[in-house]
Amino acid sequence: MKAITILGSTGSIGTQTLDIVTHHPDQFRVVGLAAGSNVTLLAEQIRTFKPEIVALGNETKLAELKDAIASCPHQPQILVGQSGICEVARYGDAESVVTGIVGCAGLLPTIAAIEAGKDIALANKETLIAGAPVVLPLVKKHQVKLLPADSEHSAIFQCLQGVPEGGLRRIILTASGGSFRDLPVEKLSSVTVKDALKHPNWSMGQKITIDSATLMNKGLEVIEAHYLFDLDYDHIDIVIHPQSIIHSLIEVQDTSVLAQLGWPDMRLPLLYALSWPERIYTDWKPLDLVKAGDLTFREPDHDKYPCMQLAYAVGRAGGLMPAVLNAANEQAVALFLNEKIGFLDIPRKIEAVCDRFLSQNTSEPSLDDILAADQWARQAIFDC
Ligand code: NAD
Ligand code: MG
């Protein structure tokens, strides 16, 4: 029985992780839960999973949460705010912490978990992208495991099992192409938030769905792959694969290519991040290649989606640039979701913010440098 804590328990990643717990009560036990402000769902999760400790990001909803669980025989310790979430992350005998908070808000809780010796099931890619210069040394220092739960990186990690050290030569990240993959470029300027939120293959939180539509998600995943697998950017490629059946591939030294396949279902990478190096039996619908049908591939269109090349450039610059890119993207996506800017303003604004910061980049930033760059970029977007 593995004790786990879930950060972002009310989101897409969080609820899918809890679904795994529901189906494997003999394998997993929930120690801690943390969420932003969805009190109704968090209260329901407290009743069902009986965590020892809970944190609510939005302090103003504390009374509402207490009210919602007043009649519940199980009363967990309840904390609030960022410090409360960090406390949940480091709490008790949880072996693994699933990071399902969206955005750089997950950085400090992830660091807290690592410092407390917890293994990380990493869904929250923004944390690694912004914080790698600090997070990776801490992972080493505390000898914890950073296990990818992003589907592409889980695929790469699964393919790497049994590949000898130094055997990896190239990573091929697959991309669905997002909501506008079949829309001509000239139509992109007038797309709406509602259109952008219609992902063809995956049901996910709003932010990552917009990231998928701009292909920034794939750009962020290139940087994530660089940090997770220590491969240079010249050896990380992107290919559009509209069916999302092949979740990514690796090429090894002798040119053999290995792929991981499955239906688009985040529970599989989440389960593997929690069960590695074991495999746990599930009764999920097995992949049927005939039903999956044709698997097709094409080059990504960099003119239509400039975010990918921007991410490569930022990744190569390293230091604080990925933190700036990430924060600018988070802010631009939030502005788009609030209908304050258009879809094509997203890449334009992010690039302008990155250009402005470039001369201030430093190669070995501290945590304070990262947090300051993050704040700077969130503000700078308004003047770009
Ligand atoms: P989501 O919006 O569905 O859920 C986000 C969760 O984080 C919610 O529980 C919310 O309450 C919580 N949260 C948000 N802001 C917070 C804050 N400031 N403090 C505390 N809690 C906060 O998002 P999601 O789609 O589940 O994505 C979560 C992370 O996983 C993202 O980093 C995303 O890139 C990554 N990811 C998601 C998927 C997916 O299928 N959803 C796939 C791969 C990677
Ligand atoms: Mg992914």
Side-chain angles (χ1 to χ4, degrees):
M1 175 83 89
K2 190 174 210 171
I4 65 169
T5 281
I6 303 167
L7 308 179
S9 65
T10 56
S12 162
I13 289 292
T15 52
Q16 293 184 85
T17 308
L18 286 169
D19 185 73
I20 292 173
V21 177
T22 302
H23 287 94
H24 298 278
D26 50 331
Q27 301 275 357
F28 301 108
R29 170 170 67 85
V30 176
V31 173
L33 295 176
S37 56
N38 186 342
V39 167
T40 313
L41 183 52
L42 184 57
E44 195 184 310
Q45 293 176 343
I46 292 171
R47 286 175 196 278
T48 310
F49 297 99
K50 303 181 177 56
E52 293 165 40
I53 191 165
V54 166
L56 185 62
N58 183 345
E59 311 190 13
T60 63
K61 297 220 165 177
L62 177 63
E64 210 182 304
L65 177 64
K66 286 191 169 160
D67 230 33
I69 58 163
S71 65
C72 178
H74 175 80
Q75 290 289 326
Q77 184 182 347
I78 300 179
L79 304 170
V80 289
Q82 170 94 309
S83 62
I85 296 175
C86 288
E87 193 51 42
V88 167
R90 65 171 78 91
Y91 181 86
D93 67 348
E95 253 179 82
S96 280
V97 172
V98 179
T99 62
I101 288 179
V102 57
C104 202
L107 178 58
L108 294 180
T110 305
I111 289 177
I114 295 169
E115 288 178 336
K118 317 284 188 200
D119 291 337
I120 304 294
L122 185 86
N124 175 225
K125 66 193 85 180
E126 297 93 338
T127 280
L128 186 63
I129 288 152
V134 169
V135 170
L136 293 176
L138 281 176
V139 164
K140 216 171 190 179
K141 178 176 166 198
H142 294 278
Q143 297 187 343
V144 298
K145 288 174 196 81
L146 187 58
L147 296 158
D150 207 349
S151 59
E152 297 77 0
H153 305 76
S154 173
I156 294 159
F157 184 60
Q158 293 183 55
C159 292
L160 278 171
Q161 305 301 307
V163 172
E165 193 151 345
L168 177 64
R169 184 161 118 171
R170 187 162 66 108
I171 283 173
I172 305 160
L173 288 171
T174 51
S176 70
S179 316
F180 304 130
R181 62 187 181 198
D182 301 319
L183 201 70
V185 64
E186 57 278 7
K187 295 249 165 90
L188 282 183
S189 57
S190 57
V191 296
T192 65
V193 171
K194 206 168 146 218
D195 298 332
L197 286 175
K198 279 187 213 133
H199 195 285
N201 304 351
W202 298 91
S203 158
M204 308 182 286
Q206 291 198 334
K207 192 259 178 184
I208 187 175
T209 305
I210 302 301
D211 285 349
S212 301
T214 60
L215 269 292
M216 178 58 95
N217 184 49
K218 213 46 58 181
L220 296 176
E221 289 182 352
V222 166
I223 302 175
E224 184 184 11
H226 165 77
Y227 286 134
L228 281 172
F229 305 112
D230 196 20
L231 199 65
D232 63 77
Y233 287 96
D234 293 342
H235 293 95
I236 304 173
D237 293 344
I238 298 171
V239 67
I240 302 294
H241 166 46
Q243 297 82 12
S244 297
I245 295 293
I246 297 184
H247 297 306
S248 278
L249 314 89
I250 64 168
E251 180 184 299
V252 292
Q253 294 299 352
D254 56 12
T255 73
S256 189
V257 172
L258 311 177
Q260 187 262 335
L261 287 73
W263 297 118
D265 183 342
M266 279 307 293
R267 291 176 307 172
L268 188 49
L270 283 164
L271 178 64
Y272 192 60
L274 290 172
S275 65
W276 178 89
E278 306 297 329
R279 292 279 186 178
I280 292 177
Y281 175 85
T282 76
D283 58 4
W284 299 335
K285 185 178 67 163
L287 180 64
D288 180 329
L289 281 174
V290 175
K291 280 202 182 111
D294 291 341
L295 303 184
T296 59
F297 308 93
R298 60 178 191 248
E299 284 257 10
D301 183 342
H302 291 291
D303 293 332
K304 186 173 169 189
Y305 298 111
C307 287
M308 284 177 288
Q309 287 196 329
L310 183 58
Y312 272 103
V314 158
R316 288 189 169 103
L320 285 169
M321 289 310 295
V324 170
L325 174 89
N326 176 65
N329 179 55
E330 282 188 33
Q331 195 75 312
V333 169
L335 288 171
F336 174 71
L337 284 169
N338 288 318
E339 300 181 331
K340 301 274 190 255
I341 63 173
F343 186 73
L344 291 179
D345 292 327
I346 301 176
R348 188 186 56 72
K349 279 184 172 283
I350 300 168
E351 187 166 6
V353 171
C354 290
D355 282 350
R356 254 207 218 179
F357 191 82
L358 199 55
S359 62
Q360 301 168 58
N361 194 23
T362 47
S363 58
E364 282 176 36
S366 66
L367 179 58
D368 283 346
D369 294 336
I370 291 168
L371 296 174
D374 176 278
Q375 284 309 313
W376 178 89
R378 280 168 206 271
Q379 203 46 48
I381 204 115
F382 292 103
D383 316 324
C384 287

